[in-house]
Amino acid sequence: MTWKQLFTSSIGKKFVMALTGVSLIAFLVVHVGLNACIWANDGGAMFNKAAHFMGATVVVRILEVGLFIGIILHIVQGLILEVQNRSRRSIGYQVPLGNRGSKWYSRSMGLLGTLILLFLIMHIYHFWTPSRLGGIGNIHELGITSYDGKEYHNLYGEMLIVFQSITVVVLYVLACISLAYHLLHGFNSAFRTLGLHNRRYVRIVHAAGTAFSIIVPLAFAMMPVSIYLGWVK
């Protein structure tokens, strides 16, 4: 397959979607692990130190650029595939199959992906932009904190403020539900596209994908809920 075919052919687009999807799954593992530090209930010390490490390490910053490229490719190729699939389905089946043909979330990946994209824009606005552009310290008195004489951006303090809004919390939870259904199809589909067809491993991947699609979005959803309800301070 040539580079042109990789980005223009249907198979090539699905391969790019699968490859970027797996990389985004790996990112979710790191991100949920980092965010789980808020449950240390130590006033945000562990979380802020971990966030500082991720933001100040050169290798991580380079990977961050790759992550953004992967997200853009995933979105663009996903939208193109969605448009192509809809054009091919312009004439429906004479007898609608419903969930007998495929699950509703498998047929709604474009919609779920769009909802996640809107959430991503909101999430970047709330945390990534002020952190990377130095805006947190200018927003409120909790902007900068220090541990052992060293200053850190107080992203934990930012979370405490952002998640005092019930509207924001509800939107984050809805986004996590969309992510769960997106992963239910995307996790298995990505590994299948990359060539994992062996019956021996398909069941393992399917079970792992189902567990991942439930546990990770649930952990993400519980973070704003925990802060809003005062379970972490």
Side-chain angles (χ1 to χ4, degrees), residues 7 16 20 23-24 62-77:
F7 293 103
V16 171
T20 54
S23 67
L24 293 176
I62 293 173
L63 291 174
E64 191 175 74
V65 174
L67 172 67
F68 274 103
I69 293 173
I71 290 174
I72 293 171
L73 278 175
H74 195 78
I75 292 170
V76 171
Q77 296 290 58

Side-chain angles (χ1 to χ4, degrees), residues 20-36:
T20 54
V22 170
S23 67
L24 293 176
I25 286 170
F27 163 73
L28 288 176
V29 173
V30 175
H31 197 46
V32 76
L34 170 64
N35 284 11

Side-chain angles (χ1 to χ4, degrees), residues 110-186:
L111 173 61
L112 293 171
T114 300
L115 293 175
I116 295 170
L117 173 60
L118 294 176
F119 158 75
L120 184 61
I121 294 171
M122 179 175 65
H123 187 61
I124 289 174
Y125 170 77
H126 281 149
F127 299 107
W128 188 90
T129 300
S131 172
R132 291 294 186 268
L133 300 182
I136 289 182
N138 300 322
I139 296 175
H140 49 75
E141 65 277 5
L142 294 177
I144 300 295
T145 188
S146 62
Y147 307 104
D148 302 323
K150 185 175 181 179
E151 290 189 342
Y152 297 82
H153 278 145
N154 191 4
L155 277 170
Y156 182 78
E158 182 74 1
M159 290 179 73
L160 294 180
I161 292 176
V162 170
F163 294 137
Q164 289 307 306
S165 167
I166 184 62
T167 301
V168 173
V169 171
V170 170
L171 289 175
Y172 268 68
V173 171
L174 291 175
C176 290
I177 294 172
S178 298
L179 176 63
Y181 281 112
H182 193 77
L183 286 170
L184 272 175
H185 173 75

Side-chain angles (χ1 to χ4, degrees), residues 91-125:
I91 300 177
Y93 294 107
Q94 188 172 1
V95 179
L97 295 177
N99 284 340
R100 288 177 295 168
S102 60
K103 298 295 184 181
W104 71 266
Y105 50 82
S106 298
R107 303 190 301 272
S108 306
M109 291 295 281
L111 173 61
L112 293 171
T114 300
L115 293 175
I116 295 170
L117 173 60
L118 294 176
F119 158 75
L120 184 61
I121 294 171
M122 179 175 65
H123 187 61
I124 289 174
Y125 170 77

